[in-house]
């Protein structure tokens, strides 16, 4: 028997990349432990993630009807030959743009997939970010011209958490949060619910979902009226202050209170604390504020507060660099081929004006079904999962119309059913991977075990796809080992060195953070200033109806849904520690914690609809329905129902309309659609 070995693997179940000590005997994982303390429930269950019955072990080719789930095992050579034949043929017949290259939540192989898409000549590289982060980033870019700036937590006196339930969604970060409290940093949290995170805040602003913009405008009103804003910064660096001020005048604390449900007193208190107990940093969420049909403008209203109070790019505020960083290649540095129109470009032009890195694919199903703006014939998916999108059955139907669909995944998901070819990827336990860590360090995650079956790492698969089609990319064509070294090149480190130090090494070059970089470098907006009135948005005023100021439009008034029929607001996807979109339902330890889909109701609503805790109920929306078990929670407001998504037993996304989108970003209104609840009639 081999001696037990301990390998250091960076967990890839979510993007927090926690270091795990993996105990391996005879080439098998026997147990796992957090290298730096505990692990979250998902990380602790990683053995069941790796050795899961749903793992795809071999390349599989469809033999039955599309959707039948009937596949036969083929060799990798046959798989690459098929890919090459189909994709080159489709490019020849319909043009390169008719093939979409798609990456799901996993982030690590994205630059390589973008390189493949570019080498093929398609403008249609898209990711799950068509529903995550990009809208928050675009909001920021429309104001400041650069990518979203994180708060400098180490030096902040006040932290405005807008919004995150760190204990559930970012476990490693919850430690930092606790330390802030110990240091006496003042914490303001905005959240419609009471959560583990809000309980410990100095001020909890408990607003109705989707009303963040009104709250931010109300706070701005107080800050301007009470002369608490940074006049010097505003005078020298802000564009559109007058229009903004005129608009903000309407949002008295009383009006903001009426819209949001929070009290005028608390809005005033929070505004004063944030503006005066400086420096103050705002911590943003990748999704909660922007999962609404008014989401991007709401976040613009929030993000403007940093500049208004002089907290932009200063120590303790929201900084271009909050700490020392190490240079590297790839991440965020590969540009998308954009000489041709991409999908989403006509619907969401601001997306493309502000960020060219990927196309907007929320309406992918429509584009396939209608062949508008042009025919889409193939999809190369790495972690393509229909369940994350509104009306997933419609997307599944659209996938059935494609001439060729290949999906690379860890698990045989029900999205794979529609594929012509399914390829086995391996988990982070079965591959090496370069990881940029915090504080300017890099690590190469160790390969703890050999890939299961014939699974391969995603980048190796991408490289072989490129080679099989005879395409060229100067970085990828040199193979995976060289690719890893290419990523590291600017840091002065090599993979060989990092292999000897699995705990990670400090980069040989460190970029030290500077303050107020805009003085030397200017601001990358059209006006060269911080735009409280965005010129990029204003450009589309007549054609698309966008406004440059952070206009607040209430979704309860603008949504075209019969509120008498659907009186409840549906808020989906608040993160739970034992859930991760649709990928961990298959893990016994985790699914046993919550066996049925839960419908969280306020006790007042339960009484109104004659429902009891533990009872089966049906949620219905204008487009679909789902079944679940009622749980009562006073943490939520009455009138709002909370459900988690991605669950085949009861899918929250079946309820969300594919047309219920933020008209600027294209993000679905996952957190403020409408529904009604009914008792589940027992079958006789
Ligand atoms: N209703 C509702 N819907 C939502 C949200 C919500 O809050 N409410 N949130 C949205 C947000 S913010 C996001 S980010 C999306 C996420 O949505 P998805 O991207 O669909 O997320 P996952 O299901 O985690 O992962 C996608 C697929 O990647 C596979 N996968 C995992 N690791 C690897 C790997 O290393 N290689 C390969 N090739 N595949 C892998 C998984 O098995 C899974 O099938 O969901 C969105 N959808
Ligand atoms: N365990 C686990 N962790 C995850 C994920 C997962 O699926 N599971 N997903 C990852 C992904 S893809 C993402 S994008 C991040 C998201 O990470 P977070 O942004 O932290 O997401 P949540 O915890 O869902 O949301 C935080 C809070 O937003 C509140 N909220 C709901 N609607 C609104 C609203 O309209 N306005 C305001 N201000 N607050 C609102 C909810 O009550 C919730 O408590 O989490 C990541 N981490
Ligand atoms: S938070 Fe949990 S799932 Fe995410 S990387 Fe860490 S251990 Fe893995
Ligand atoms: Mo996300």
């Amino acid at each position: 028997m081999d001696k037990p070995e301990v390998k250091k693997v960076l967990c890839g179940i979510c993007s927090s990349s926690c270091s795990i000590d993996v105990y391996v005997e005879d080439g098998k994982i026997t147990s796992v432990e957090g290298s730096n303390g505990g692990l979250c429930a998902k990380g602790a269950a990683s053995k069941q993630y790796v050795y899961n019955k749903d793992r795809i072990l071999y390349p599989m080719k469809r033999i039955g009807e599309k959707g039948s789930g009937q596949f036969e095992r083929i060799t990798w050579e046959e798989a690459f030959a098929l890919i090459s034949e189909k994709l080159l043929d489709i490019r020849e017949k319909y043009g390169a743009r008719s093939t979409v290259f798609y990456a799901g939540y996993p982030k690590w192989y994205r630059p390589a997939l973008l390189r493949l898409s570019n080498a093929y000549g398609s403008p249609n590289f898209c990711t799950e970010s068509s529903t995550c982060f990009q809208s928050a980033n675009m909001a920021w870019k429309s104001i400041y011209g650069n990518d979203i700036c994180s708060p400098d937590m180490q030096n902040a006196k006040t932290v405005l958490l807008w919004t995150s339930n760190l204990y559930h969604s970012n476990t490693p970060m919850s430690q930092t949060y606790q330390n802030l409290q110990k240091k006496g940093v003042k914490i303001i949290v905005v959240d419609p619910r009471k959560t583990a995170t809000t309980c410990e805040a100095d001020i909890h602003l408990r607003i109705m979902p989707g009303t963040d913009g009104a709250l931010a405008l109300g706070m701005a009103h107080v800050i301007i009226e009470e002369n608490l804003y940074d006049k010097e910064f505003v005078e020298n660096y802000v564009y559109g202050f007058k229009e903004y001020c005129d608009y903000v005048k309407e949002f008295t604390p009383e009006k903001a209170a009426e819209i949001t449900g929070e009290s005028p007193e608390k809005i005033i208190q929070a505004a004063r604390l944030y503006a005066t107990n400086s420096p103050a940093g705002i911590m943003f969420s990748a999704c909660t504020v922007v999962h609404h049909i008014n989401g991007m403008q709401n976040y613009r209203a929030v993000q403007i507060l940093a500049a208004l109070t002089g907290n932009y790019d200063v120590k303790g505020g929201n900084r271009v660099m909050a700490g020392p960083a190490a240079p590297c290649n790839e991440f965020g540095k590969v540009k998308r081929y954009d000489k041709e129109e991409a999908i989403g470009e006509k619907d969401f032009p601001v997306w493309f004006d502000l960020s060219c890195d990927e196309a907007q694919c929320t309406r992918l199903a429509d584009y396939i079904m209608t062949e508008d703006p042009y025919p889409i014939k193939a999809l190369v998916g790495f972690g393509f999962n229909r369940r994350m999108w509104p009306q997933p059955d419609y997307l599944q139907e659209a996938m059935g119309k494609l001439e060729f669909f290949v999906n690379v995944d860890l698990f045989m998901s029900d999205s794979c059913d529609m594929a012509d070819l399914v390829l086995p990827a391996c988990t982070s336990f079965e591959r090496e991977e370069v990881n940029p860590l915090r504080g300017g360090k890099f690590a190469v995650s160790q390969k703890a075990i050999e890939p299961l079956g014939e699974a391969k790492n995603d980048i190796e698969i991408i490289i072989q796809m490129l080679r099989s089609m005879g395409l060229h990319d100067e970085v990828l064509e040199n193979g995976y080992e060289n690719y890893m070294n290419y990523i590291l090149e600017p840091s002065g480190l090599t993979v060989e060195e990092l292999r000897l130090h699995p705990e990670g090494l400090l980069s040989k070059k460190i970029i030290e953070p500077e303050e107020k970089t805009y003085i030397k470098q200017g601001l990358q907006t059209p006006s060269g200033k911080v735009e409280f009135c965005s010129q990029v948005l204003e450009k589309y005023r007549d054609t698309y109806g966008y406004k440059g100021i952070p206009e607040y439009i209430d979704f309860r008034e603008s949504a075209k849904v019969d509120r008498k029929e659907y009186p409840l607001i549906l808020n989906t996807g608040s993160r739970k520690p034992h859930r991760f979109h649709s990928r961990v339902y298959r893990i016994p330890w985790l699914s046993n914690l919550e066996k049925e889909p839960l419908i969280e109701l306020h006790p007042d609503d339960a009484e109104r609809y004659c429902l009891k805790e533990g009872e089966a109920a049906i949620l219905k929306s204008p487009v679909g329905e789902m079944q679940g078990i009622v749980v009562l929670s006073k943490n939520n407001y009455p009138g709002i129902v909370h459900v988690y998504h991605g669950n085949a037993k009861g899918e929250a996304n079946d309820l969300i309309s594919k047309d219920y989108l933020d008209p600027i970003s294209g993000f679905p209104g996952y957190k403020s659609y409408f529904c009604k609840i009914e008792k589940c009639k027992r079958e006789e």
Side-chain angles (χ1 to χ4, degrees):
M1 198 167 97
D2 293 345
K3 234 169 79 199
E5 279 185 287
V6 185
K7 299 274 187 178
K8 279 209 186 314
V9 173
L10 295 169
C11 173
I13 302 180
C14 85
S15 325
S16 298
S17 298
C18 299
S19 179
I20 302 193
D21 288 346
V22 182
Y23 292 78
V24 181
E25 274 178 60
D26 292 334
K28 281 205 89 177
I29 300 171
T30 52
S31 64
V32 296
E33 249 171 34
S35 311
N36 311 308
L39 283 175
C40 85
K42 303 176 295 300
S46 24
K47 230 175 95 179
Q48 295 186 348
Y49 189 74
V50 176
Y51 299 112
N52 195 280
K53 64 172 177 31
D54 290 347
R55 280 291 300 273
I56 308 161
L57 299 176
Y58 307 99
M60 306 294 278
K61 187 181 156 185
R62 179 172 60 82
I63 45 169
E65 289 283 293
K66 277 194 191 231
S68 67
Q70 285 177 287
F71 292 90
E72 69 177 9
R73 179 178 167 183
I74 58 169
T75 64
W76 274 108
E77 289 70 30
E78 287 168 320
F80 288 123
L82 185 67
I83 290 168
S84 167
E85 180 202 319
K86 293 285 183 189
L87 292 184
L88 292 179
D89 182 51
I90 284 169
R91 186 171 70 169
E92 180 73 27
K93 277 204 217 132
Y94 309 99
R97 64 185 187 176
S98 65
T99 297
V100 170
F101 292 80
Y102 176 89
Y105 180 84
K107 317 273 189 274
W108 77 285
Y109 51 76
R110 287 187 185 183
L113 187 61
L114 175 51
R115 284 181 178 280
L116 177 68
S117 174
N118 286 347
Y120 182 82
S122 173
N124 292 321
F125 167 78
C126 336
T127 76
E128 123 289 4
S129 300
S130 284
T131 69
C132 181
F133 179 67
Q134 278 291 341
S135 174
N137 200 43
M138 279 163 66
W140 182 273
K141 235 177 184 170
S142 72
I143 306 163
Y144 299 95
N146 51 8
D147 283 330
I148 208 161
C149 291
S150 303
D152 174 9
M153 307 276 245
Q154 295 310 320
N155 298 301
K157 280 208 213 151
T158 305
V159 169
L160 175 49
L161 200 60
W162 204 323
T163 284
S164 228
N165 183 12
L166 299 169
Y167 286 97
H168 291 186
S169 64
N170 195 342
T171 323
M173 193 70 184
S174 53
Q175 203 100 55
T176 313
Y177 181 66
Q178 282 177 340
N179 291 342
L180 288 179
Q181 288 167 327
K182 282 188 203 133
K183 264 173 52 184
V185 173
K186 293 284 177 204
I187 296 175
I188 308 168
V189 180
V190 185
D191 197 310
R193 300 183 309 155
K194 287 186 210 149
T195 68
T197 310
T198 63
C199 285
E200 293 171 2
D202 295 280
I203 301 177
H204 173 194
L205 296 167
R206 202 162 163 228
I207 59 167
M208 289 293 285
T211 63
D212 300 80
L215 174 62
L217 292 166
M219 286 173 69
H221 180 101
V222 176
I223 292 167
I224 295 170
E225 285 292 305
E226 298 189 3
N227 267 314
L228 305 177
Y229 69 100
D230 187 330
K231 287 183 205 63
E232 199 193 319
F233 184 86
V234 166
E235 243 163 59
N236 291 313
Y237 296 104
V238 169
Y239 170 85
F241 188 61
K242 169 136 195 341
E243 287 111 301
Y244 171 77
C245 265
D246 289 347
Y247 188 60
V248 162
K249 271 207 179 73
E250 287 175 36
F251 288 84
T252 59
E254 291 69 28
K255 177 170 169 168
E258 202 185 303
I259 298 171
T260 61
E262 189 42 281
S263 72
E265 293 74 29
K266 253 165 100 180
I267 296 174
I268 295 170
Q269 193 196 356
R272 287 180 184 156
L273 180 65
Y274 171 69
T276 58
N277 194 40
S278 28
I282 312 177
M283 192 172 160
F284 303 111
S285 157
C287 74
T288 37
V289 177
V290 287
H291 279 172
H292 298 281
I293 57 168
N294 53 0
M296 182 167 149
Q297 284 289 36
N298 280 352
Y299 236 174
R300 292 189 67 244
V302 173
Q303 294 169 348
I304 281 174
L305 295 176
L308 184 67
T309 53
N311 280 304
Y312 173 62
D313 211 10
V314 293
K315 218 171 166 182
N318 285 80
R319 295 179 71 176
V320 172
M321 277 177 65
C328 69
N329 281 325
E330 286 305 84
F331 304 103
K333 296 195 179 122
V334 190
K335 290 287 148 227
R336 184 180 58 89
Y337 173 78
D338 63 354
K339 305 275 179 294
E340 274 194 86
E341 183 192 331
I343 51 172
E345 213 163 314
K346 280 211 182 75
D347 290 325
F348 311 106
V350 169
W351 176 284
F352 294 83
D353 286 4
L354 291 173
S355 123
C356 263
D357 300 346
E358 54 187 84
Q360 214 313 345
C361 65
T362 304
R363 294 195 59 225
L364 177 65
D366 284 335
Y367 302 143
I368 297 171
M369 295 302 260
T370 60
E371 304 210 340
D372 181 17
Y374 47 75
I376 299 293
K377 295 290 179 184
L379 190 127
V380 179
F382 280 73
F384 177 87
N385 166 26
R386 70 192 183 99
R387 292 203 168 272
M388 62 171 286
W389 303 93
Q391 293 185 259
D393 287 349
Y394 175 63
L395 180 54
Q396 188 84 330
E397 193 187 330
M399 300 308 283
K401 261 200 80 186
L402 294 173
E403 278 188 21
F404 186 63
F405 167 28
V406 47
N407 204 16
V408 186
D409 207 303
L410 307 175
F411 307 111
M412 195 53 107
S413 68
D414 61 4
S415 304
C416 292
D417 285 355
M418 279 294 172
D420 300 286
L421 186 61
V422 178
L423 301 177
C426 61
T427 64
S428 58
F429 295 82
E430 300 151 81
R431 56 167 147 85
E432 283 190 316
E433 174 194 338
V434 174
N435 256 280
L437 305 178
R438 280 200 198 137
K441 274 174 104 178
F442 287 95
V444 166
S445 179
Q446 287 188 303
K447 184 179 185 177
I449 53 167
E450 285 305 311
L452 265 57
E454 287 181 6
K456 285 182 191 289
N457 97 41
D458 293 275
I459 297 181
E460 305 255 24
I461 298 173
I462 292 166
I463 292 172
Q464 291 199 34
M465 283 186 180
L466 182 99
R467 287 179 177 158
S468 70
M469 285 188 273
L471 303 174
H472 295 292
D473 175 88
E474 55 183 16
V475 177
L476 287 183
E477 57 199 20
N478 299 325
Y480 187 52
E481 178 84 9
N482 286 324
Y483 184 63
M484 288 196 285
N485 273 320
Y486 172 76
I487 295 175
L488 287 168
E489 211 172 81
S491 72
L493 295 167
T494 63
V495 175
E496 296 72 27
E497 283 171 273
L498 288 173
R499 281 195 182 115
L500 302 174
H501 297 275
E503 70 291 352
L505 284 177
L506 202 60
S507 166
K508 292 185 183 157
K509 291 184 197 120
I510 292 284
I511 310 166
E512 289 299 334
E514 284 176 44
E515 270 190 284
K516 302 188 179 180
T517 47
Y518 52 86
I519 296 178
K520 265 201 263 165
Q521 295 162 17
L523 289 141
Q524 307 310 309
T525 54
S527 64
K529 297 203 162 183
V530 175
E531 296 195 354
F532 284 18
C533 182
S534 160
Q535 291 194 1
V536 172
L537 283 164
E538 199 58 36
K539 200 167 83 182
Y540 299 100
R541 181 187 271 265
D542 295 338
T543 43
Y544 288 77
Y546 305 157
K547 300 240 174 74
I549 49 161
E551 183 188 26
Y552 177 74
I553 301 178
D554 201 294
F555 71 94
R556 292 164 293 192
E557 287 155 23
S558 65
K560 292 176 192 71
V561 173
D562 180 355
R563 290 301 308 280
K564 285 209 181 79
E565 180 69 17
Y566 301 101
L568 297 167
I569 292 172
L570 176 65
N571 190 293
T572 67
S574 284
R575 306 313 188 225
K576 297 181 177 189
H578 54 289
R579 292 274 183 253
F580 204 89
H581 305 293
S582 38
R583 63 170 102 152
V584 297
Y585 288 104
R586 53 174 62 85
I587 294 184
W589 280 2
L590 302 177
S591 59
N592 285 343
L593 294 171
E594 191 181 311
K595 289 195 167 138
E596 297 300 324
L598 300 183
I599 299 174
E600 275 183 50
L601 268 191
H602 190 276
D604 294 356
D605 293 323
E607 203 182 316
R608 182 167 310 123
Y609 299 107
C610 305
L611 287 161
K612 287 198 218 58
E613 170 112 0
E615 203 172 347
I618 297 188
L619 279 185
K620 290 185 178 168
S621 83
V623 299
E625 56 181 63
M626 72 165 267
Q627 197 175 315
I629 301 293
V630 172
V631 282
L632 303 184
S633 172
K634 280 190 175 169
N635 292 334
N636 309 331
Y637 268 128
I640 303 174
V641 183
H642 292 261
V643 190
Y644 201 75
H645 60 290
N647 192 346
K649 286 189 179 170
E651 178 54 83
N653 276 329
D654 284 343
L655 299 175
I656 314 270
S657 164
K658 68 179 177 62
D659 301 319
Y660 192 64
L661 305 176
D662 181 333
I664 305 175
S665 67
F667 272 39
Y670 292 125
K671 292 186 170 40
S672 48
Y673 198 48
F674 303 96
C675 65
K676 62 181 172 186
I677 191 161
E678 290 171 2
K679 261 183 202 296
C680 213
K681 287 194 193 80
R682 287 191 196 289
E683 286 183 17
E684 297 306 321

